[in-house]
Amino acid sequence: RDANALKSEPSYAIAKLLDPIKDEPRKILIQTNRYDKARHLDSLTTAYKLDVYNGRLNKVAISPLGSGDLLSDHQQQIRAAIGNPRDSMLTSRVFFRDSPQDEWRMLSEFDLFAPALTPLKFTPDNQRLYVESNGDIDTAGVFLLDPGSGKLEKISQREDTDLVAALYDENDQLAGAWY
């Protein structure tokens, strides 16, 4: 599908850069959310491979959620999603899949105003996720999540302030946390 074809359709869209494609320098991964003329969400969050030279789009993944974000692993495979189901903007869910061929499975569901679990980045081996979570106190920190067992391991958390950002080295290993 050509990105220029989107111009002729009466809709609005929001796009977000997910990742450059390491072995294809002309292409990047993006995610989109499309809206109708009344600005109501009319599609699930979708990831595309975009050729930045000619605008051609190739759909690579569709989120199980209507509004939210997708997360790719270090091979640029879409394997995690967080956001709101289409029927409830007051609930957030986190989904995961072991590979692009696998079905999405829900890891977490929480009230929009309750402590959350937000995927940040895959570990360098793509087996676990760095996540932002409150754990069992009121402030957010960095945890390691094993999607298979659901086990959370605290990496860094302070009792007096929330996490601002997780910091990674050139190998995508967690290097620090900013509070």
Side-chain angles (χ1 to χ4, degrees):
R1 186 166 186 193
D2 189 326
N4 292 325
L6 295 176
K7 293 178 184 176
S8 64
E9 297 176 19
S11 65
Y12 301 90
I14 296 172
K16 175 182 173 184
L17 173 67
L18 294 175
D19 270 319
I21 310 259
K22 294 174 186 169
D23 58 345
E24 298 180 63
R26 292 175 53 119
K27 296 182 180 174
I28 58 174
L29 273 179
I30 63 168
Q31 76 173 36
T32 63
N33 293 92
R34 298 197 44 180
Y35 298 84
D36 63 18
K37 289 196 312 190
R39 296 200 173 111
H40 297 112
L41 188 66
D42 73 351
S43 69
L44 297 173
T45 303
T46 305
Y48 294 94
K49 193 182 281 190
L50 169 66
D51 185 316
V52 296
Y53 287 84
N54 62 24
R56 288 201 177 98
L57 293 169
N58 181 23
K59 189 184 302 180
V60 296
I62 299 174
S63 170
L65 299 160
S67 173
D69 287 312
L70 296 167
L71 183 66
S72 62
D73 66 16
H74 299 294
Q75 276 71 51
Q76 290 80 47
Q77 302 296 313
I78 305 297
R79 296 187 38 225
I82 182 170
N84 309 103
R86 295 179 88 175
D87 61 348
S88 174
M89 294 305 284
L90 297 178
T91 302
S92 288
R93 294 179 182 155
V94 177
F95 281 83
F96 178 83
R97 59 187 180 177
D98 293 315
S99 77
Q101 294 75 36
D102 292 324
E103 294 293 318
W104 291 103
R105 69 178 191 274
M106 189 166 52
L107 291 180
S108 178
E109 180 176 47
F110 47 91
D111 180 76
L112 189 61
F113 303 106
L117 181 129
T118 304
L120 300 172
K121 189 180 252 327
F122 278 86
T123 56
D125 65 3
N126 287 326
Q127 299 302 306
R128 297 179 293 168
L129 290 161
Y130 295 113
V131 298
E132 179 180 337
S133 179
N134 289 49
D136 57 0
I137 64 174
D138 289 335
T139 56
V142 181
F143 289 74
L144 198 55
L145 172 68
D146 181 332
S149 69
K151 182 182 174 198
L152 269 180
E153 175 187 336
K154 181 167 57 171
I155 304 285
S156 174
Q157 186 176 31
R158 292 180 46 169
E159 293 185 11
D160 59 336
T161 188
D162 283 322
L163 175 73
V164 173
L167 309 170
Y168 306 92
D169 66 17
E170 64 277 357
N171 298 315
D172 288 319
Q173 185 73 32
L174 185 68
W178 177 23
Y179 289 94

